[in-house]
Amino acid sequence: MAQETWNAVERYFCDLLVQPDQSLNAAAADGEAAGLPPIAVSPNLGKLLMLLAQCIGARQILEIGTLAGYSTIWLARGLGASGRLITLESDKKHAEVARANFARAGVAELIELRLGMALDSLPQLAAEKRGPFDLIFIDADKENNTEYFEWSLRLSRPGSLIIVDNVVRDGKVIDAANSDKSVQGVRRCNAAMAAEKRVAVTALQTVGSKGYDGFAVARVVG
Ligand code: SAH
Ligand code: DHB
Ligand code: MG
């Protein structure tokens, strides 16, 4: 049982459950055509982000790591009335592709893309007293996951959801001796979430077109 089966089952569920959406498909296609890495969330995970945003009636969303804006568009579709989304991206080319994708998807008015290193943008958001964000999606460089999680706590409120992508990394997450900086970053953040009394947190493993990975979901409780 491996990649081929995971792909086929993902296709089955996406065909069955995820309504075709021209602008989402085009966003993914244009990202890849522009040479961006093919690491956006899968359609079924994108739809989960939208559903979670809708479940909590999210009106303020923060995303760390835009890429071509594929997950951003899903999240924007989950925004309640008069909702707004801020997405942080350090790569100018990614930001350009994403902005074009937002316009085509009809969500550009709802989204503020901040170009820059997330560790510069996050304190800026705090200084501007932005937030509290109802949902925060952490999906940028994994080395800084812990810092992103800590800023997310500062920018959230009790009841907010913090979702962290890519917490399994082909199972490498359980290898404390793994020297990969991303794996170390993911492990350090997982430990920080576990130790943090202000959140209730769980994590899920996923398989599919993006291989074997997973995400963590934390609910801010205090
Ligand atoms: N959320 C996207 C995928 C994001 S990929 C989706 O699922 O569709 C990770 C993105 O984070 C890349 O575009 C990368 O350029 C960006 N990134 C990496 N390091 C960053 C940093 N320090 N600050 C802001 N963005 C960063
Ligand atoms: C990588 C980053 C991601 O956000 C992702 O979803 C998959 C892979 C990466 O940097 O390898
Ligand atoms: Mg990711």
Side-chain angles (χ1 to χ4, degrees):
M1 193 79 79
Q3 190 61 55
E4 213 175 295
T5 311
W6 303 344
N7 290 348
V9 174
E10 182 176 299
R11 209 170 311 119
Y12 162 78
F13 277 124
C14 289
D15 289 350
L16 190 66
L17 303 174
V18 184
Q19 291 67 31
D21 181 309
Q22 285 301 96
S23 30
L24 277 164
N25 293 343
D30 279 12
E32 296 196 22
L36 275 52
I39 56 176
V41 295
S42 55
N44 47 327
L45 180 52
K47 187 167 180 180
L48 177 64
L49 293 174
M50 179 187 78
L51 293 174
L52 288 172
Q54 290 170 336
C55 283
I56 62 167
R59 296 182 56 180
Q60 300 287 335
I61 294 178
L62 174 64
E63 176 180 65
I64 308 175
T66 317
L67 194 65
Y70 183 79
S71 55
T72 324
I73 295 170
W74 273 113
L75 285 165
R77 298 249 157 96
L79 278 171
S82 74
R84 289 284 181 279
L85 186 156
I86 296 178
T87 185
L88 310 181
E89 174 57 54
S90 59
D91 186 298
K92 200 158 170 277
K93 181 174 164 192
H94 297 187
E96 266 170 38
V97 174
R99 284 197 172 107
N101 284 334
F102 300 156
R104 177 174 40 207
V107 292
E109 313 294 279
L110 310 177
I111 297 172
E112 181 186 338
L113 188 159
R114 293 201 175 190
L115 183 61
M117 301 298 278
L119 285 181
D120 294 329
S121 302
L122 289 162
Q124 255 160 32
L125 290 175
E128 292 168 24
K129 304 211 182 320
R130 301 296 294 262
F133 295 95
D134 307 307
L135 189 157
I136 301 171
F137 183 46
I138 300 177
D139 192 21
D141 56 310
K142 313 308 169 190
E143 269 181 81
N144 289 313
N145 263 13
T146 308
E147 287 67 33
Y148 298 152
F149 174 67
E150 282 164 0
W151 277 108
S152 298
L153 274 178
R154 292 184 57 170
L155 292 164
S156 62
R157 54 159 177 85
S160 295
L161 278 187
I162 302 172
I163 303 170
V164 187
D165 197 22
N166 311 115
V167 298
V168 174
R169 316 289 312 195
D170 277 319
K172 295 189 187 94
V173 65
I174 59 171
D175 180 9
N178 192 304
S179 59
D180 184 302
K181 289 205 166 98
S182 297
V183 173
Q184 289 299 333
V186 166
R187 285 180 58 84
R188 190 163 63 91
C189 182
N190 291 344
M193 288 191 289
E196 177 53 67
K197 293 194 170 51
R198 287 171 292 173
V199 297
V201 59
T202 190
L204 293 177
Q205 307 178 66
T206 56
V207 293
S209 58
K210 299 288 141 52
Y212 171 36
D213 216 322
F215 57 92
V217 181
R219 179 172 187 267
V220 180
V221 294

